Amino acid sequence: ILNVEQSPQSLHVQEGDSTNFTCSFPSSNFYALHWYRWETAKSPEALFVMTLNGDEKKKGRISATLNTKEGYSYLYIKGSQPEDSATYLCAPPMDSSYKLIFGSGTRLLVRP
Amino acid sequence: DVKVTQSSRYLVKRTGEKVFLECVQDMDHENMFWYRQDPGLGLRLIYFSYDVKMKEKGDIPEGYSVSREKKERFSLILESASTNQTSMYLCASSLRIGGLHPPHTFGSGTRLTVV
């Protein structure tokens, strides 16, 4: 079973701060990396699916980078807002199938 | 707006009861998944279905079974509920596109308490 680690476990920032967190995964047999945002009382929502080494994706103030050779991805949030408060999950596929292995997430709290 | 709908938001069941959790998607997705989420742990895959009547075990299938008689519906069955199955259960679906890994679309979850 893949070992997927996310750090930090939780993060408290002030509104307007920029922040980033890390997802580490085995670098061998890489297929893809998913990022999801999960707000309290809502469904997890897909942010990005990244597939290429060096890939960078952006959605509004959120961006992500991917390094498949060393097995990590960074998620950045520029100018955090209270509505960014959520748990951010990363998940590589288990194998060549569609099954994902989720990290335990980074819980972000943005204080107004 | 595409949706994955889980039949119940909250459920309380007694130990030993047979429990059915229902999930319906309206996106014509081939793949459907059942996960559970517990504090401090990531989402853990219970079962996966890639087509009608087809299923694969995930990481933690013990004590569960599934049914997929129609493409849009994927049911999770707790044969005899136990207190260690108290958890948040999430259903998800995705397209099946060879060579690609499309994102999951998740339901809003069912919080099951077994007493």
Side-chain angles (χ1 to χ4, degrees), chain A residues 38-101:
Chain A
W38 191 2
E39 294 177 69
T40 303
K42 293 187 178 178
S43 313
E45 171 199 4
L47 289 172
F48 308 114
V49 178
M50 309 181 79
T51 54
L52 299 175
N53 185 44
D55 216 359
E56 181 169 347
K57 290 193 183 271
K58 193 172 179 183
K59 185 174 182 177
R61 292 178 291 97
I62 303 176
S63 60
T65 60
L66 178 67
N67 184 323
T68 61
K69 295 186 179 184
E70 295 182 39
Y72 64 84
S73 176
Y74 294 140
L75 192 80
Y76 300 91
I77 303 179
K78 185 177 177 182
S80 304
Q81 299 297 307
E83 58 265 31
D84 296 327
S85 297
T87 297
Y88 291 83
L89 301 168
C90 70
M94 222 175 258
D95 45 39
S96 58
S97 77
Y98 301 94
K99 296 177 283 188
L100 300 179
I101 294 277

Side-chain angles (χ1 to χ4, degrees), chain B residues 8-105:
Chain B
S8 305
R9 185 79 174 123
Y10 298 96
L11 270 181
V12 180
K13 295 291 181 181
R14 295 194 181 277
T15 301
E17 275 194 78
K18 190 168 185 176
V19 181
F20 293 84
L21 302 183
E22 305 288 346
C23 175
V24 177
Q25 51 96 1
D26 64 1
M27 298 165 284
D28 204 34
H29 283 175
E30 293 85 3
N31 299 327
M32 296 189 76
F33 309 83
W34 275 107
Y35 294 91
R36 66 177 278 178
Q37 197 268 333
D38 299 290
L41 299 175
L43 295 174
R44 290 182 293 165
L45 182 65
I46 306 171
Y47 267 98
F48 160 57
S49 170
Y50 52 91
D51 205 344
V52 174
K53 297 191 187 293
M54 306 306 286
K55 62 186 179 185
E56 282 186 19
K57 292 180 181 179
D59 295 328
I60 49 165
E62 297 79 18
Y64 303 95
S65 62
V66 289
S67 171
R68 192 158 180 209
E69 297 297 317
K70 293 185 178 181
K71 190 175 185 180
E72 66 270 20
R73 185 181 296 270
F74 191 34
S75 304
L76 181 70
I77 304 155
L78 285 66
E79 298 290 344
S80 176
S82 64
T83 54
N84 63 12
Q85 292 178 309
T86 291
S87 188
M88 168 71 89
Y89 291 86
L90 281 159
C91 176
S93 70
S94 75
L95 287 168
R96 189 173 74 225
I97 306 174
L100 298 178
H101 294 85
H104 285 15
T105 300

